[in-house]
Every structure is written in C-alpha cells, then in structure tokens.
Amino acid sequence: MFRKIAPSPKGYPLLGNFLAIRKDPINFFVNSVQEFGDLVRFKLGFLQAHIVTNPEHIKYVLQDNNRNYNRQTLGHNRIRTVLGNGLVNSDGAFWLRQRRIAQPAFHRQKISAFADLMVKNTVGFLEKLEIYATNSQVFNIEEEMLALTLKIVSQTLFSTEVDSRISRITEAVTVAMRHINNRITNPFSLPESIPTKENVHFRKMLTTLDKTVYDIIQERRNNPKEAKDLLSMLMTACDEETGEMMNNEQLRDEVMTMFLAGHETTASSLTWTWYLLSKNPIARRCIQQELKDVLAERLPTFEDLPKLQYTQLVVKESLRIYPSVWLFLRSAIEDDEIAGYHIPAKSIMILCPYITHRDSRFWENPEGFDPERFALDKITKMPRFAYFPFGGGPHICIGNEFAMMEIQLILATVMQKYQLDLLPGQVVEIEPLITIRPRHGLMMKAKKL
C-alpha cells in the first residue's frame, strides 16, 4: 500500500539534516516550513522527525490524539537525568496520577498566597537597580532575572528554611541547566558515566542538589509543621481516586522540575519582555500610565492583577514573539496520519510555537510588537493552537498561571520606579537552548523615574 510521506529538505547520507539543524535550528526550521509547508519531514541519522506548525495539526498531536504521542524523545531522556520522572517528563497512568496529586497546589486561590513573596523579592531587586542607576552602571538583565526568579522559586517551594543553602542550590542549578543544554544540543557528547571534567562537575552538583532537596523533605517528614509553601502542599496532597500520596522520590522529581523549569522559563520571558519594552517606548508608557492609575505608587497585590489589563497584554505578546520554550517534542507510539501524510511509529514530532506564533495566516504583522492583538474580541477569533506558549492539551504546563502572576507582579513593581533601557549598539542574537535566550546576554541601564 502506497503511503504519502511529507516533503523533506535535502540532507547528507546517514546524517540526514542533522548538521543543518545543529548549526542553526531556528532558521533551518523556519526556511523549511516556508519552502515545504505545514508538515516537513527531517532525517536525523536513523531517526525520522516531523515539524508540525499548523494549529489544527498541533491540536491533533497535543490534544485530540495525545495518547499516541508520548515524551520518549532524546531531549526528554537527557532532561530526565536531572528532573527525573516529574510532570515534564512522565506519561500515561503515572503522569495522570502525579498531575491529579499536584494540581490542587496550583489552584489560583493557592498560588495567590505567593504574590506578596514575589513582590517582596522584587523590592530587593529595586535596591540593586538603585545602585546601577546612581552609578550609571551597565548590567545584564538576563543574569538579574535568573537570580530573582531562582530566589522566588526557592522560597515558594521551601519557605524561608533554605536561605542558608541558597548559594549552594543556585550554583548546582546553574551547572545542571548548562549541562542539560549542552547534552541536548550535542547528541555526540560522551556518556555521563565517562569521568570527563564536565561530567564529574555535573555529578557533584547534582549530588549537592539531590542531597539538599532530600534533606529538606526528610526534615519536613520528621518535623511536620504548618507551612504554606509548595513542598508542604505536595507532601499533604493525595490522589482523590486512590488516596495515594507522593513518596520521597516522586516529591524530589516534582520539586526539581518546578525548581529548574520554574525559574529558567520565567527568567527568559522577563528578559525578552524588558527587551521588547525598551524597543517599544509607546507600550512602555502605556504600562507606566496603567500602573499610575491602578496602583497610585503603592506596591502591587494579587487583587490588582485583573485591573492591570494592558500589562497582561504586553506579557502575552512577549510570549508570542519570544516563547520561552520555543519547541515541544513528542514521539509517535503507533503509525498515524496527519494532513494526508504518513507518520511512522517512533517519529519525533517537533511542535514549534516560535514559528506558529509568527505565521502571517493567523497573525497580522507577525514580526511587529502589538499587545492590543490580545484584546478579548480579537484573540477569541484565533484558532486555539495558533498560540501555545505553555503547550496545550492534557499536558499543558501546570505552572502557567503561577508564571503569568510572577511576570506581571515583577513588571509592575519595577516599572513604577525604574525605566530599563537597552544599551545601544549591542548585537542581540537568539540562542535556542531548552529556553530561548539572548546568546550574549542583554545589557541594560536603569533610570529612576
């Protein structure tokens, strides 16, 4: 029986399209989609991959037929080294059980309790901005956002009991993320069992991270107390259907997932939002006016968020142009068909919000910065999966509302007091790792308002 296969760019014998993807993945994917259409096939050595960019087909993979597409991919397997079998990596019945247990901790009412903590830590960042502004000092906003979001996620997860261990955790998290990024972008890297300098250092940092997290979990089990952090919520939560609770290993994996994914993705989103606001002064002035009208110079609270409507539109538009997770990977369990093309079992499916969010069929002036496009009367007319910065379907990011709250509160706290401007003349280049980051950082100056 003849099976129609998707079009494919030319590649090399054996390697296929691997070298082109390795060299410049974003431009290669963009150019391939422009040339061949919504579904493009790639050869990655002995593997086949398909990039899917049409919202209807994305919906099919992530939602309608999601049971046929799991996370058994090279990328997820390498992330699993650090994150274990947490929600980002798990599938099937185990994932469903974990999701049911964890979901109540991320209920809107529960996460609202962390708003004051987010604002408090951002006020601490304002003290640094005071120094930068007074001395006309240049700083890397990406580094500052990584430090701020790491501090916030540490305290929301563990309360204040990790203050004495923050520096240890910060170093370990930084090394772990760098290691994961390197291994995902280099499939020919040596196995972690080989004692290279990098592997030894990574193992040392992972041991530090594991010991710290397991120690905190055990301390809580030995001395239960009333704490309103995410760890306590996860430890006391149970599956409503079975009554089961998470054991220490499952808690470790979920905590590590929230720890690593929860700070790097949010920091990336904030970094690009500061960049876009610096490049679009009209939008910046609109936010500043909204903050003045709603807050009247007081610090923002969770209750203020619904009133900060333009601020929310800016965040959504920033996530459209620079989605922090720029692609999602799935693997076909059984043969399938999409858009009339045969999808063989074990084919890797690449879902790329970076491309779909820029598709001119769905977005007018897609390269332009226009927060108003997310006004309710406009966005409701869009195909559901034309915009999916947090993924979609059953596996949609459990922390999406947490992240949106954090980004908005940080923006509102900072922008009342300071204006952040991009240092002129620097080359801003995208580096597509696990998250999408500026390759050389993002240098800025602060001006007090």
Side-chain angles (χ1 to χ4, degrees), residues 105-119:
F106 288 89
H107 188 278
R108 187 171 177 80
Q109 187 177 0
K110 290 282 183 71
I111 64 172
S112 66
F114 300 123
D116 289 347
L117 185 151
M118 293 171 178
V119 172

Side-chain angles (χ1 to χ4, degrees), residues 83-310:
L83 303 189
N85 210 26
L87 287 174
V88 165
N89 284 320
S90 55
D91 286 299
F94 180 82
W95 166 83
L96 182 59
R97 173 185 173 278
Q98 290 294 95
R99 180 86 181 204
R100 281 201 304 252
I101 295 174
Q103 189 68 59
F106 288 89
H107 188 278
R108 187 171 177 80
Q109 187 177 0
K110 290 282 183 71
I111 64 172
S112 66
F114 300 123
D116 289 347
L117 185 151
M118 293 171 178
V119 172
K120 180 182 176 181
N121 279 281
T122 308
V123 170
F125 173 59
L126 295 183
E127 295 173 6
K128 295 179 75 173
L129 287 181
E130 172 76 27
I131 297 171
Y132 292 148
T134 301
N135 299 320
S136 297
Q137 186 175 340
V138 175
F139 58 94
N140 184 348
I141 190 63
E142 182 190 29
E143 289 182 357
E144 297 293 348
M145 291 300 98
L146 283 166
L148 175 58
T149 56
L150 181 58
K151 192 164 188 180
I152 288 172
V153 79
S154 298
Q155 293 183 11
T156 53
L157 271 170
F158 304 123
S159 253
T160 57
E161 65 189 51
V162 295
D163 282 354
S164 60
R165 310 177 225 193
I166 273 287
S167 60
R168 221 165 48 225
I169 292 173
T170 302
E171 182 187 3
V173 166
T174 302
V175 170
M177 291 305 290
R178 189 183 300 124
H179 183 82
I180 291 174
N181 279 323
N182 288 342
R183 289 187 64 78
I184 285 177
T185 55
N186 182 13
F188 298 124
S189 53
L190 293 171
E192 288 175 341
S193 57
I194 296 177
T196 64
K197 182 178 179 181
E198 180 187 339
N199 284 345
V200 169
H201 188 42
F202 165 69
R203 280 293 164 193
K204 180 181 177 183
M205 291 298 101
L206 187 58
T207 299
T208 297
L209 209 50
D210 277 346
K211 185 177 187 310
T212 304
V213 171
Y214 276 124
D215 283 352
I216 293 171
I217 291 171
Q218 197 56 49
E219 287 166 15
R220 286 285 181 89
R221 292 212 188 276
N222 294 339
N223 301 290
K225 63 178 182 178
E226 283 291 327
K228 295 181 179 180
D229 53 32
L230 286 171
L231 177 59
S232 287
M233 293 180 193
L234 293 174
M235 289 181 75
T236 56
C238 65
D239 187 332
E240 291 182 359
E241 293 188 11
T242 65
E244 290 181 279
M245 302 172 75
M246 293 190 201
N247 61 32
N248 282 7
E249 184 179 353
Q250 291 160 353
L251 277 169
R252 176 265 179 214
D253 289 351
E254 299 305 344
V255 164
M256 207 71 82
T257 297
M258 294 171 195
F259 214 134
L260 300 184
H263 95 277
E264 173 135 340
T265 54
T266 306
S268 171
S269 300
L270 280 160
T271 298
W272 290 114
T273 303
W274 291 123
Y275 169 74
L276 289 167
L277 287 171
S278 178
K279 301 282 282 185
N280 295 273
I282 293 176
R284 181 163 63 186
R285 284 196 293 272
C286 288
I287 289 186
Q288 289 169 338
Q289 187 59 53
E290 179 176 76
L291 295 176
K292 194 174 293 185
D293 294 342
V294 173
L295 301 179
E297 299 188 2
R298 63 176 172 77
L299 291 173
T301 66
F302 177 79
E303 288 71 27
D304 292 317
L305 293 179
K307 303 169 195 171
L308 298 176
Q309 295 177 6
Y310 190 79

